[in-house]
């Protein structure tokens, strides 16, 4: 999924579930920032204090840099949560095939539902909205990234890509062919061999396009059919239920779904491959009151999102920043840093990664770090 869903849809469902505009803004910003937190390492302050942040994504994907792409510390806990083959029982066999099958991302899987429920149980008196946004990002991606895993493995190879009209992604393949001139067969849509074996790289951006109905063959030769419209609609409803349960502090709360027709319509009708263009459509719809909050009142908000630069969470935390910070940059310390959205997001990011890799997955017999 891209910014239109992780920011726009997440904000809308949070408001529908009863969160205030400010609360929904923190949740949705955090959900999208998972894709934009591409830097890691120590922050040095002028009073000798230090703060270490981790990355939950990488910069614009360079498909030649497999060492970087193989960073399972980012892909597994934040983008390709293992689905445990749809089972709620631990892995008992030791062969590679069984392990990889359990590592494949599955929609609304038992580990995904447990992740959400555990977060709700840990809620306490002071909700951690930054971590809620992170978890909602991971949860939503179990629908978009289903069938792929966050490891370099042959199962991620996608061949014979076709949409519902039998068309192959020729424009994208043409662009990729500059990297892989002899590895890409533009006529068939096949990405040959182990060229793009991580995540859904071989499927290009097709899993992230909300309206697309498409099919492919995975690296095990299995024919797979995907209906993104249905999957994204299901994800939006699941996020709504999670938000309602989080507000109530009850992971088992029975939730009645409201009318999702306006949200579904915008998801399916906004058919542009550029996620930023689709995001602007969502911002315009929000500004014009196309959606309603939990009380049924139209939502009219001028929602914005800044990943970096002046006004961004990072700039608010560390001061207005140059586009590129020099190596060894020392930042002025201010007590406000401790409570900044940027620090609280990165604190939540680390807690989530530790939870997934050291608690959630080991509970299913899966060791991935």
């Amino acid at each position: 999924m891209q910014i239109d869903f992780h920011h726009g849809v997440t904000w809308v469902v949070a408001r529908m579930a009863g969160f205030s505009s400010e609360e929904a803004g923190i949740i949705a910003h955090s959900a999208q920032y998972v894709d934009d937190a591409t830097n890691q390492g120590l922050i040095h302050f002028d009073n000798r204090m230090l703060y270490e942040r981790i990355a939950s994504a990488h910069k614009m994907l360079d498909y030649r840099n497999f060492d970087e792409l193989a960073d399972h510390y980012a892909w597994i806990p934040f983008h390709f949560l293992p689905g445990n083959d749809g089972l709620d029982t631990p892995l008992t066999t030791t062969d590679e095939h069984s392990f990889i099958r359990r590592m494949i991302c599955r929609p609304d899987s038992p580990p995904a539902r447990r992740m959400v429920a555990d977060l709700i149980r840990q809620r306490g008196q002071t909700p951690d909205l930054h971590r809620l946004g992170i978890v909602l990002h991971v949860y939503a991606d179990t629908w978009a990234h289903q069938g792929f895993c966050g490891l370099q493995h042959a199962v991620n190879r996608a061949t014979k890509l076709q949409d519902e009209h039998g068309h192959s992604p020729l424009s994208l393949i043409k662009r990729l062919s500059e990297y892989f001139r002899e590895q890409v067969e533009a006529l068939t849509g096949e990405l040959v061999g182990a060229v793009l074996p991580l995540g859904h790289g071989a499927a290009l951006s097709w899993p992230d396009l909300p309206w697309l109905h498409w099919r492919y063959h995975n690296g095990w030769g299995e024919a797979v059919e995907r209906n993104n419209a249905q999957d994204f609609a299901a994800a939006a409803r699941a996020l709504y239920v999670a938000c309602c349960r989080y507000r109530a502090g009850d992971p088992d709360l029975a939730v009645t779904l409201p009318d999702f027709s306006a949200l579904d319509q915008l998801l399916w009708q906004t058919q542009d491959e550029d996620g930023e263009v689709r995001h602007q459509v969502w911002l315009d719809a929000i500004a014009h009151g196309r959606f309603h909050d939990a009380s049924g009142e139209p939502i009219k908000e001028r929602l914005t999102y800044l990943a970096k630069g002046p006004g961004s969470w990072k700039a608010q935390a560390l001061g207005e920043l140059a586009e590129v910070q020099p190596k060894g940059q020392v930042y002025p310390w201010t007590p406000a840093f401790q409570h900044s959205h940027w620090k609280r997001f990165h604190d939540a990011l680390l807690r989530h990664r530790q939870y997934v890799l050291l608690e959630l997955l080991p509970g299913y017999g899966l060791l991935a770090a």
Side-chain angles (χ1 to χ4, degrees), residues 38-249:
T38 57
N39 296 315
Q40 59 188 358
L42 283 172
I43 298 293
H44 296 259
F45 293 99
D46 57 6
N47 63 354
R48 302 296 296 274
M49 284 197 182
L50 300 172
Y51 180 75
E52 186 166 15
R53 66 328 189 12
I54 64 171
S56 51
H58 295 295
K59 296 177 182 177
M60 291 185 67
L61 297 183
D62 182 348
Y63 293 106
R64 297 163 295 186
N65 190 349
F66 292 128
D67 287 338
E68 182 177 2
L69 287 176
D71 184 2
H72 54 207
Y73 286 105
W75 300 126
I76 291 172
F78 298 114
H79 305 281
F80 297 90
L81 186 72
N84 200 44
D85 207 20
L87 303 173
D88 204 18
T89 54
L91 176 69
T92 56
T93 56
T94 58
D95 61 287
E96 178 182 334
H97 183 82
S98 297
F99 171 67
I100 294 299
R101 185 167 288 281
R102 298 253 186 162
M103 290 298 292
I104 293 172
C105 190
R106 303 293 183 191
D108 201 22
S109 64
R113 293 196 296 271
R114 182 171 295 184
M115 170 187 69
V116 174
D118 284 349
L119 179 70
I120 295 170
R121 293 188 186 99
Q122 298 165 6
R123 178 180 178 275
Q125 295 300 312
T126 305
D128 187 346
L129 300 181
H130 300 83
R131 187 163 175 200
L132 175 59
I134 293 166
V135 166
L136 294 182
H137 177 112
V138 178
Y139 193 30
D141 270 356
T142 67
W143 277 270
H145 296 172
Q146 61 180 283
F148 300 97
C149 72
L151 299 171
Q152 289 194 35
H153 193 271
V155 70
N156 290 328
R157 298 174 191 162
T159 63
K160 301 178 183 177
L161 273 73
Q162 290 185 335
D163 66 15
E164 60 185 320
H165 306 296
H167 299 146
S168 297
L170 296 181
S171 62
L172 291 170
I173 289 174
K174 183 178 179 181
R175 276 183 274 163
L176 280 178
S177 67
E178 296 178 6
Y179 285 153
F180 306 109
R181 295 185 183 279
E182 298 178 359
Q183 306 280 357
V184 178
E185 278 189 45
L187 292 178
T188 64
E190 283 196 32
L191 303 182
V192 183
V195 178
L196 299 176
L198 178 77
H200 65 69
L204 310 172
S205 64
W206 280 26
D208 296 321
L209 303 179
W211 71 91
L212 198 64
H213 191 169
W214 57 293
R215 64 183 67 90
Y216 70 99
H217 284 72
N218 69 16
W220 287 338
E222 299 168 339
V224 181
E225 184 162 351
R226 293 282 302 274
N227 188 325
N228 291 1
Q230 291 182 1
D231 290 335
F232 281 46
R237 286 157 174 77
L239 263 59
Y240 172 81
V241 172
C243 284
C244 290
R245 289 174 172 172
Y246 190 85
R247 290 190 71 243

